[in-house]
Amino acid sequence: MNAPNNKNNLISTYDLTKKQVCSLIQEALRLKIKKGTAKTALCGKTLAMILQKPSTRTTVSFAVGMVQLGGLPLILNSQDLQLRRGESLSDTAKALCRYVDAIMIRANSHADVIELAENSSVPVINGLSDKEHPCQVLGDLMTICESMGLKNPEELKGVSVAYLGDGNNVVHSWLLAASLLGMNLSIATPKNYEPEKEYLKKAQGLAKVSGTTITLTNDPATASQNADVLYTDVWASMGKDDEREKRKTIFKSFQLNADILKFAKKKALVMHCLPAHRGEEIASDV
């Protein structure tokens, strides 16, 4: 379900090579340390940000990043565009790419990201879809490097990550990124809430090359054993709010709490892609 990547699109983590992922993280770390030294890197460039779903962190991080690098962000709520009146995404793409240098979309469906990319002559970035969240996981990898004092993203090889919860879009991106970089990934979900087979198959192919292990289990304690990183997400993603009460019962034993933390390494990192429902998927004290 990836769009042709001949325009430097970032639709899926699968679009990237290991070298590209490491280069992106290395450059991000450099820019963060030398904040303010790249004020002209994107001078004269404009990013259109189509928001079909609400956001705090994605919107602010993309907008601030553009400004800090000398560019201009255009925040476009889908209700403010002609999309509201029924214009197709393909026509919206053809219009926008006459004015802007790149487009980021936070989409209701992955198919919308594909349609946009297929009809745009400028790069399209997936800021979130129902299938993947590639920029989130790139940011997570950067955070792990910083927190563990790793000077080179290549050193992520062998790091163990345990994910507890729903086999959703974030897990799909984690599957691809971890297997690409040689990180060990253990995923604990309730039965029938595992990641999609398409992403498992892709990740397993990458894992054979990198020599990593991917483990699926229905036991959060097993997944968390000796983990360097413990990661979770909300149990009912946007668009599944009607399932929230049902999921609270099904996922109850998958909460990331002090009892689970005991199974991980002593200095394990606790991570969440946020916003969190405290007291549900993660305990406030953790």
Side-chain angles (χ1 to χ4, degrees):
M1 293 188 67
N2 300 333
N5 203 39
N6 55 3
K7 299 188 291 285
N8 293 318
N9 295 322
L10 177 53
I11 308 302
S12 166
T13 312
Y14 201 65
D15 294 337
L16 302 172
T17 64
K18 178 182 178 181
K19 184 178 179 180
Q20 287 175 319
V21 171
C22 290
S23 178
L24 280 168
I25 296 169
Q26 196 86 61
E27 180 65 2
L29 289 167
R30 185 189 71 81
L31 289 171
K32 185 173 180 180
I33 292 169
K34 298 184 177 181
K35 187 177 178 180
T37 63
K39 294 179 180 178
T40 61
L42 294 178
C43 185
K45 303 294 184 182
T46 304
L47 173 71
M49 300 163 57
I50 300 176
L51 305 176
Q52 293 181 338
K53 288 190 173 185
S55 162
T56 299
R57 296 154 191 83
T58 300
T59 303
V60 173
S61 60
F62 269 95
V64 171
M66 282 298 292
V67 171
Q68 288 181 345
L69 296 175
L72 175 69
L74 296 175
I75 300 175
L76 308 172
N77 187 296
S78 59
Q79 291 302 304
D80 298 329
L81 297 171
Q82 296 294 1
L83 287 167
R84 179 175 59 86
R85 297 178 59 208
E87 182 176 67
S88 67
L89 267 170
S90 59
D91 283 348
T92 297
K94 291 169 186 175
L96 285 176
C97 66
R98 296 180 181 216
Y99 305 105
V100 304
D101 299 285
I103 303 170
M104 183 276 279
I105 180 169
R106 188 169 169 88
N108 288 321
S109 75
H110 201 70
D112 285 351
V113 184
I114 301 297
E115 182 180 353
L116 194 69
E118 287 178 339
N119 291 278
S120 172
S121 59
V122 300
V124 170
I125 301 167
N126 179 359
L128 173 139
S129 74
D130 58 335
K131 298 288 187 182
E132 292 192 51
H133 203 349
C135 295
Q136 171 68 51
V137 174
L138 287 171
D140 292 332
L141 293 169
M142 178 180 170
T143 296
I144 294 170
C145 284
E146 288 181 302
S147 301
M148 297 182 71
L150 305 181
K151 295 180 180 180
N152 189 322
E154 295 270 2
E155 297 176 65
L156 288 167
K157 184 176 177 64
V159 171
S160 295
V161 179
Y163 176 94
L164 315 180
D166 187 26
N168 59 16
N169 52 353
V170 174
V171 173
H172 293 159
S173 289
W174 258 113
L175 272 165
L176 298 173
S179 54
L180 187 66
L181 295 175
M183 302 172 76
N184 299 313
L185 179 64
S186 294
I187 300 170
T189 67
K191 289 181 180 179
N192 302 319
Y193 289 89
E194 292 88 356
E196 292 182 15
K197 290 180 180 179
E198 173 193 352
Y199 287 93
L200 285 170
K201 185 177 179 180
K202 286 180 177 180
Q204 287 163 351
L206 294 170
K208 285 181 180 179
V209 177
S210 64
T212 190
T213 59
I214 299 169
T215 305
L216 297 183
T217 179
N218 302 122
D219 181 10
T222 298
S224 304
Q225 202 72 240
N226 295 315
D228 296 296
V229 180
L230 290 170
Y231 197 107
T232 193
D233 191 4
V234 293
W235 292 336
S237 300
M238 280 184 286
K240 297 180 180 177
D241 294 323
D242 57 334
E243 299 178 25
R244 186 173 175 187
E245 291 306 312
K246 173 187 173 183
R247 283 171 173 254
K248 281 169 70 174
T249 301
I250 295 170
F251 284 80
K252 186 177 180 180
S253 63
F254 289 80
Q255 185 188 70
L256 207 174
N257 53 36
D259 289 335
I260 286 295
L261 195 58
K262 292 174 184 176
F263 292 100
K265 290 182 180 176
K266 190 174 182 180
K267 294 185 178 181
L269 304 176
V270 172
M271 301 182 71
H272 193 306
C273 58
L274 301 173
H277 292 146
R278 291 169 179 262
E280 290 185 21
E281 75 277 356
I282 190 164
S284 289
D285 58 337
V286 173

